[in-house]
Every structure is written in structure tokens, then in C-alpha cells.
Amino acid sequence: MAEGERPRLLRLVQEGRLDLLQEELQPDATLGPGVQNQHYGRSGDTLLHYAARYGHRDVLAYLVEAMGMDIEVFNSDYKRPLHEAASMGHRECVSYLLERGASVDCLKKADWTPLMMACTRQNLEVIKALVEHGANPLLKNKDGWNCFHIASREGHPEVLQYLLEVSPGSWDTESTIKRTPLHTAAMHGCFDVVELLLERCQYKPDSRDKCGVTPFMDAIQNGHVDIARLLLEKHQACPTAVDALGAQPLHRAAVTAQDEAIQFLVSELGVDVNERVTTLQLTALHYAAKEGHVHTIQTLLGLGADVQAKDGKSRSVLHAACAGQQAAAARTLLHAGLRDTPDGSGVLAQQLARNPDVIQVFQEMDVSP
């Protein structure tokens, strides 16, 4: 078979056409070494990788047993066939490779094991097969995540419950930037997982990552108010805790335009809408203006935010909008009655404008100090 015809073999493997694959390969015994050593595309996958990825156990067995392919062959990312089968949730392929002696904790690029990849899916049978063959749940990848951390991100309570059974200490882990599974579950809105973690694990309230972010902050800045409530009720989270820069959840919610979360903090929890970041003396309104979140600006103003507020360098909210080149935000603030006054250095907000749309706003409204 000519070199240019080999992609046909790849297609047959992808489609699981074992009968046609055998017809292609059996007549010519010289094809064996070529099939074994052929890598396809930039990923460098072999036929064995494709068979495992698409879940064709019979093709996988034929390539291993009849064609002599190495079950530990790796691609450009050092990914083995076991990684492929585990990540796609193909239990029969996983079991076959393990029975043939595949290394259960082999590492691909960034130090991901097959068990970690299996935990990205809600396939408990594959995870059990790997653990029963000796997979170590406590291994960490390059980012410091173990499989428990990964399952927390994906929102799989039943997987987490199983991992706690076979490895009770797997919950007690932090990433390289000190983020816990509770941080990750709160950030991704996995309510059932957060509930499980609070019931079964012993995370400290308001644990902080390297940026000083707490799980409550993660929930708020991503708009997961239900999880924020749960953390308040079940974990004594502090709604006014500050991160490494001195920002509270209110400020982080303003950056990400989470209006419902802002309403919750101010109206229900009594957080001061004009609270300032301790290091820069910025208000939530400054952040919303800089990011150009017009609706959030209106929400904050409706809750009593001070449109005349200035930061530690006497820069107004309008300065923030113009520095961020946010025309719609500047227009909203000017309509709210904010004048273009100089900051502590005598710089007007309009002097910061480089965006023609922002400049036009000042021209249209004939603004002067």
C-alpha cells in the first residue's frame, strides 16, 4: 500500500470497520512495521489512539494482537491510548488496555493521568476500573490539581462520593495557586457539589487562594447567588472579606457585571454600595465604569452609589470610564449629572479619551468643567 493511501486505514479505524481493516492489512505482511510506526497529523496519533478514542474495542484488540502495536505508544502530547479511552468514557477499551498491562498512571503533557481525564466525564464505571487497577487518586497534574479537584469542576457529586470512599483524604488538596476544590465548584456554579463538599469535607471558611480570593467571592463574581447563600448559611462565609488588593465581593461583582449578585449583597446583606477597595480607594462604580458595564452602573446608582465618588488619586468615575475608553458608560454618567472635573493632577476625564466615540460623547453633550 502506498504512503498516500494510509489515511484510508485511519478512516476505517475511526468508523470501527474491522472487516475492511483486516482486508486492507492481511494481504501484505510488509505493512506491519508501517502501521505500527505511523503517526497522523500534528497530534501524532496512531491508529491505536483512534481506536481507543472512538471506543472500538475489537479494532483495538486487532491492532494490538494481530498487528503488534504497542499499547504504550504515545503521541505528540505524550498521550497513551489509555488516556484516550479514559477521557472519552469507553469502559471496554479501558478494561482491555488495563488487562493487557497498560500503565495505569501514565502521564501525558502537563502530568495528566488517565484517572484525571476520566474524572472530566460522569462515567463512574471507567473511574472504578482505573482505581481497581491501582490508579492513584492523590497524584497531581502540573497545575496542582488531583482527580477530586477535577471532578469538582465538572460537577459530578457521585464521582466525588466514590473518590471519598476509596481515598478519604483526596478532598484536602490545593492547586499551585492555593485554590481548593470548593473554590472551583463555587466558581463553576456546581451547587450540588458545593453542598456535598460542605457536608463531607472540612474546608476552612473563607480559605484564600494566592490572590486572596475566597469561594464566596468566586460564587459572587460569577453570578452564582444560590451558592453564595449556601456558603453564608452552611460555611459562615464573610460577605465583606477582601482579596489581596483589598477588593470585596461587591467590587469583583461590578467588574464582571453581576447585577443580581450586587443586588443581593447590598439589598439583602446590607453591604455598603460605596465601600472602597482598601488599596486604591476605588468604588464598585469605578470598576463598572472602567469595564463599560452600563446596566451595572445603573444598578449601582439605583442602589445609592455616589456618582461623585473619587478614588485615592482624586479620579472620578468618569475618569475611569474615559481611561477605559467606554463611550456608553461616559454618556450614562454624564446623564446622571456627573461633571468633568479635574483629578488631583489637574487632568480632565475627556483628556484621557482616545476612542473617537468617547470624544464624540463630550462633543455632543457640550461638556465643560
Side-chain angles (χ1 to χ4, degrees):
M1 180 181 296
E3 184 71 23
E5 295 177 354
R6 284 195 180 143
R8 171 173 166 77
L9 297 180
L10 189 152
R11 290 195 299 272
L12 294 176
V13 170
Q14 288 176 312
E15 296 168 3
R17 300 299 301 274
L18 179 59
D19 52 344
L20 296 180
L21 185 67
Q22 290 171 323
E23 289 179 11
E24 290 285 330
L25 296 177
Q26 283 181 345
D28 190 348
T30 64
L31 286 174
V35 171
Q36 293 171 8
N37 300 322
Q38 182 67 36
H39 292 257
Y40 296 89
R42 296 178 62 183
S43 64
D45 290 327
T46 66
L47 294 181
L48 210 58
H49 285 89
Y50 281 99
R53 182 182 305 156
Y54 286 89
H56 302 308
R57 191 247 186 227
D58 54 347
V59 174
L60 196 67
Y62 174 72
L63 292 171
V64 172
E65 298 171 27
M67 301 306 297
M69 293 194 70
D70 181 6
I71 58 173
E72 300 292 7
V73 65
F74 54 84
N75 67 8
S76 303
D77 289 331
Y78 301 101
K79 189 184 291 184
R80 272 71 168 174
L82 184 59
H83 285 105
E84 294 284 3
S87 67
M88 299 304 292
H90 298 310
R91 184 187 58 79
E92 291 186 357
C93 290
V94 167
S95 296
Y96 173 79
L97 290 166
L98 291 172
E99 289 164 5
R100 297 288 299 188
S103 176
V104 71
D105 281 330
C106 54
L107 301 179
K108 80 169 190 71
K109 192 173 182 180
D111 296 340
W112 279 66
T113 67
L115 180 59
M116 292 175 192
M117 300 191 75
C119 285
T120 64
R121 289 181 175 265
Q122 197 168 353
N123 194 322
L124 192 54
E125 293 305 311
V126 169
I127 293 168
K128 286 182 176 180
L130 290 163
V131 172
E132 289 168 3
H133 278 81
N136 184 354
L138 298 180
L139 292 179
K140 293 186 175 185
N141 64 19
K142 188 176 181 180
D143 295 319
W145 288 31
N146 66 12
C147 59
F148 190 90
H149 209 145
I150 292 164
S152 296
R153 179 191 65 186
E154 300 301 327
H156 299 157
E158 64 287 347
V159 172
L160 294 169
Q161 289 173 336
Y162 172 72
L163 292 173
L164 287 172
E165 291 173 9
V166 298
S167 182
S170 57
W171 67 271
D172 190 11
T173 184
E174 291 181 342
S175 70
T176 54
I177 58 171
K178 298 182 69 63
R179 290 182 63 78
T180 66
L182 184 59
H183 281 91
T184 301
M187 176 182 180
H188 288 275
C190 304
F191 184 90
D192 292 343
V193 167
V194 171
E195 195 169 41
L196 173 68
L197 297 182
L198 294 180
E199 290 175 358
R200 297 283 303 275
C201 309
Q202 289 80 53
Y203 296 109
K204 295 179 181 178
D206 293 323
S207 58
R208 288 171 166 78
D209 66 12
K210 280 192 173 181
C211 294
V213 176
T214 67
F216 183 85
M217 291 180 190
D218 273 323
I220 286 293
Q221 72 182 22
N222 287 282
H224 307 307
V225 175
D226 55 344
I227 291 177
R229 290 182 190 277
L230 186 63
L231 289 167
L232 287 171
E233 296 169 4
K234 303 291 186 181
H235 211 224
Q236 294 77 53
C238 177
T240 56
V242 298
D243 64 16
L245 294 176
Q248 294 187 11
L250 174 68
H251 304 113
R252 301 181 72 93
V255 171
T256 55
Q258 298 297 341
D259 292 7
E260 182 186 356
I262 291 170
Q263 291 275 4
F264 169 65
L265 289 168
V266 177
S267 299
E268 295 191 38
L269 301 185
V271 173
D272 182 0
V273 71
N274 292 307
E275 192 68 53
R276 294 175 179 273
V277 174
T278 54
T279 54
L280 304 172
Q281 292 298 297
L282 295 166
T283 66
L285 198 55
H286 280 89
Y287 283 108
K290 183 179 180 180
E291 298 298 328
H293 300 318
V294 172
H295 194 271
T296 302
I297 291 171
Q298 294 168 338
T299 296
L300 289 164
L301 291 175
L303 291 168
D306 181 7
V307 75
Q308 304 293 341
K310 292 192 175 184
D311 67 11
K313 294 185 178 181
S314 296
R315 292 171 296 197
S316 71
V317 179
L318 187 60
H319 280 82
C322 291
Q325 309 306 313
Q326 304 293 348
R331 179 178 286 107
T332 299
L333 292 167
L334 289 169
H335 276 301
L338 181 57
R339 293 180 60 82
D340 188 11
T341 55
D343 65 9
S345 303
V347 176
L348 293 171
Q350 57 185 304
Q351 291 173 318
L352 301 174
R354 298 184 304 276
N355 185 332
D357 292 337
V358 181
I359 296 171
Q360 185 177 354
V361 168
F362 284 92
Q363 292 173 343
E364 289 175 354
M365 301 189 71
D366 192 25
V367 174
S368 58

